[in-house]
């Protein structure tokens, strides 16, 4: 994925979103300095706190501190509706935590906030489709278990 985001980061109109995704990839391989450098390149001046918040969320997530990652990402999602990627990431973290309802909400929000035909919206729709399938499967398994108990 990293190589794809590197290419997209150079294409006009894809840059900021792709760079945020690339920064997340860097954090996931423990390249925190490269992650921070990318984020600071995107978020300058008055937006610098966004870079710090995303960096913190990515580091927390990479280190397994899911609760703190959720707190940071939730703050970003609420304060920066122009960052659909934050909604996507928050949905992913909720999904990892087994909170598919919250994950689905975040992915729907990412789809609404991204530009039409955008990569974040596309990724969010794919995640949402997977979650719906998981929820249906869980519901079917639950109803089958209930039938067995009644017998």
């Amino acid at each position: 994925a990293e190589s794809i985001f590197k290419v997209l980061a150079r294409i006009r109109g894809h840059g900021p979103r792709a760079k945020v995704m690339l920064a997340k990839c860097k954090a996931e391989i423990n390249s925190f300095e490269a992650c921070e450098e990318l984020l600071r390149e995107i978020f300058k001046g008055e937006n610098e706190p966004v870079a710090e918040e995303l960096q913190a969320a990515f580091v927390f997530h990479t280190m397994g501190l899911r609760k703190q990652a959720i707190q940071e990402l939730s703050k970003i999602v609420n304060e920066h509706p122009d960052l659909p990627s934050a909604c996507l990431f928050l949905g992913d973290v909720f999904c990892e935590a087994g909170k598919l309802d919250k994950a689905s909400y975040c992915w729907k929000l990412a789809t609404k906030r991204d530009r039409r035909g955008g990569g974040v919206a596309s990724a969010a729709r794919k995640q949402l489709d997977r979650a719906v399938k998981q929820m249906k499967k869980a519901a079917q398994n639950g109803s089958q278990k209930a039938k067995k108990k009644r017998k």
Side-chain angles (χ1 to χ4, degrees):
E2 180 179 344
S3 60
I4 294 168
F5 294 128
K6 281 183 180 179
V7 171
L8 288 175
R10 289 181 283 215
I11 299 172
R12 187 178 205 114
H14 290 283
R17 287 181 179 95
K19 284 183 181 178
V20 170
M21 300 293 277
L22 180 56
K24 183 176 185 291
C25 290
K26 293 290 186 185
E28 288 178 356
I29 59 170
N30 295 325
S31 186
F32 299 122
E33 286 182 27
C35 172
E36 181 179 14
E37 187 178 309
L38 282 164
L39 292 171
R40 289 195 184 281
E41 189 178 305
I42 302 164
F43 303 103
K44 298 175 183 172
E46 66 184 37
N47 291 322
E48 196 171 312
V50 180
E52 293 169 3
E53 292 165 357
L54 278 169
Q55 172 81 4
F58 294 163
V59 171
F60 286 142
H61 182 255
T62 301
M63 302 310 260
L65 302 169
R66 191 179 293 141
K67 180 180 177 183
Q68 290 86 342
I70 288 172
Q71 289 172 340
E72 286 293 330
L73 288 168
S74 295
K75 180 180 175 188
I76 296 166
V77 165
N78 289 327
E79 294 177 1
H80 301 281
D82 57 327
L83 290 175
S85 52
C87 301
L88 176 67
F89 302 147
L90 183 56
D92 293 346
V93 178
F94 276 131
C95 184
E96 290 172 7
K99 298 178 179 183
L100 290 179
D101 289 342
K102 289 184 178 186
S104 295
Y105 173 79
C106 292
W107 293 326
K108 287 176 187 175
L109 194 57
T111 301
K112 287 179 187 176
R113 290 183 176 182
D114 196 17
R115 61 183 168 71
R116 187 177 180 96
V120 171
S122 176
R125 277 192 294 278
K126 287 178 185 174
Q127 293 292 71
L128 193 54
D129 290 345
R130 283 188 204 128
V132 168
K133 288 177 186 174
Q134 284 180 336
M135 287 188 275
K136 285 181 180 179
K137 187 175 180 178
Q140 287 173 345
N141 289 341
S143 66
Q144 288 174 354
K145 286 178 184 179
K147 286 180 184 178
K148 286 181 182 178
K149 282 186 177 181
R150 283 186 242 144
K151 289 181 179 181

